Amino acid sequence: MHDHRRLGRELDLFGTDPLMGAGLPYWLPDGAIVRHTLEEYVREAERAAGYRHVYSPVLGKRDLYEISGHWDHYRDDMFPPMDLGAEQVVLRPSLCPHHALIYRSRSRSHRELPLRMAELGGMYRAELSGVLGGLTRVRAIQLNDAHVFCTLEQAAEEARAALALIARAYADLGIRASRYRLSLPGAGGKYVADPELWRRATALLREVLDGSGTAYEAAEGEAAFYGPKIDVQITDPAGREATLSTVQIDFHQPERFDLHYIGPDGAKHRPVMVHRSVIGSVERAVAHLVEVHGGAFPAWLAPVQLVVLPVAEAQEEWAHEVVRRAVARGLRAEVSGPGEGTLGARVRAARLVPYQAVVGEREAGGGLAAVRLRDGRRPGAVPVAELLDRVAVRVANRGTELWSAA
């Protein structure tokens, strides 16, 4: 059973320090590569799906969260306000209030809808020390967030498209949803009091789930304070369940922020806000990927995709040339030379690298590399150009198969 906290240390992916504080991990170079590659994958997928990206600040005035409802319903999970002259500012617990302000920064026409706004942005949760752990529960979160502002008639289709985007990402990342949950309000006062808005949002989410043929379970007490949501649940190797991705339909915040668009009739109409997150927090997504793959990431996500191993010092020049060509193709490659140990020791040290290229005297003299795959297969000596072509294609396609006979 893999534990991302142990593997994170062993593979030099991330760490913590008491002086930084609990729940505030730092990312080491290899971990930063995984994170950056994952973030760029999500941005690319969102761009292809019609999203446009924005940046917004991690601070906001307390008044902003009073309008959104976070201050009334979510205050216990927020960091205390900071006095800034006569004002109070807060580390944001969510990105949606900021995106609502960006939407209302100018008049909007129905022709602009659906308006899909995405951001990979920081947010902060005042988690208690007892629940913090590795990357799964942290206080500083990098969230893959997006908000679709649309008409009521468009809302269900936008939610369906978000679920499809999540499913595609899971396939590319090699992870599996354990179940889908329709999260509904429960007893208590943490939810906004507007039964009609809850009824409408819940009906739309049920329509989306039923229409897509997705099996799901309803769970009371798991909703956001402003509306119901579809939670995509994952399970770690120890059997612990967590939410990774979400889709929400929100009628509440468009009212609180007085959002509107100009319809075909020339009158003002209220948009619906669809919240969705493909991979949730980057921290939790990386933790799950580490555990699912045991550190042997899919080739496109691996910190090092190709390691070149010269048998002797005489082949080091050719090994570095192979790496130069690989880097020019956009691959992450490095040399592991004789100074780092015997060939056997170096092969074992690089066991999680998808592709190993051993170069001896014969390979160096013939422009070849003897290929070893992470799964134990040995395709043998091939021209370096062919090796780099094969690796580059598989990385670009984000496939899980390392090699094929063709």
Side-chain angles (χ1 to χ4, degrees), residues 116-154:
R116 305 181 185 98
M117 187 184 301
E119 181 175 2
L120 271 158
M123 67 179 197
Y124 299 84
R125 301 281 172 89
E127 300 277 15
L128 298 176
S129 297
V131 302
L132 298 173
L135 295 178
T136 54
R137 291 292 289 270
V138 294
R139 288 171 171 159
I141 301 164
Q142 192 74 10
L143 187 68
N144 159 229
D145 206 7
H147 299 93
V148 182
F149 300 89
C150 60
T151 68
L152 177 61
E153 295 75 21
Q154 295 167 334

Side-chain angles (χ1 to χ4, degrees), residues 155-156 159 201 204-205 208 226-228 247-251 272-275:
L204 279 171
L205 290 179
V208 169
Y226 49 80
V247 180
Q248 307 167 43
I249 291 180
D250 178 11
F251 293 98
V272 179
M273 200 169 170
V274 178
H275 306 237

Side-chain angles (χ1 to χ4, degrees), residues 332-385:
R332 296 186 288 273
E334 61 184 36
V335 173
S336 179
E340 298 175 42
T342 65
L343 180 61
R346 285 179 281 144
V347 167
R348 289 190 296 274
R351 67 190 181 282
L352 297 180
V353 177
Y355 301 95
Q356 298 180 2
V358 178
V359 291
E361 184 177 354
R362 182 174 72 90
E363 288 81 17
L368 305 172
V371 181
R372 294 170 178 246
L373 305 180
R374 181 173 59 197
D375 59 16
R377 286 179 290 163
R378 298 188 184 186
V382 300
V384 164

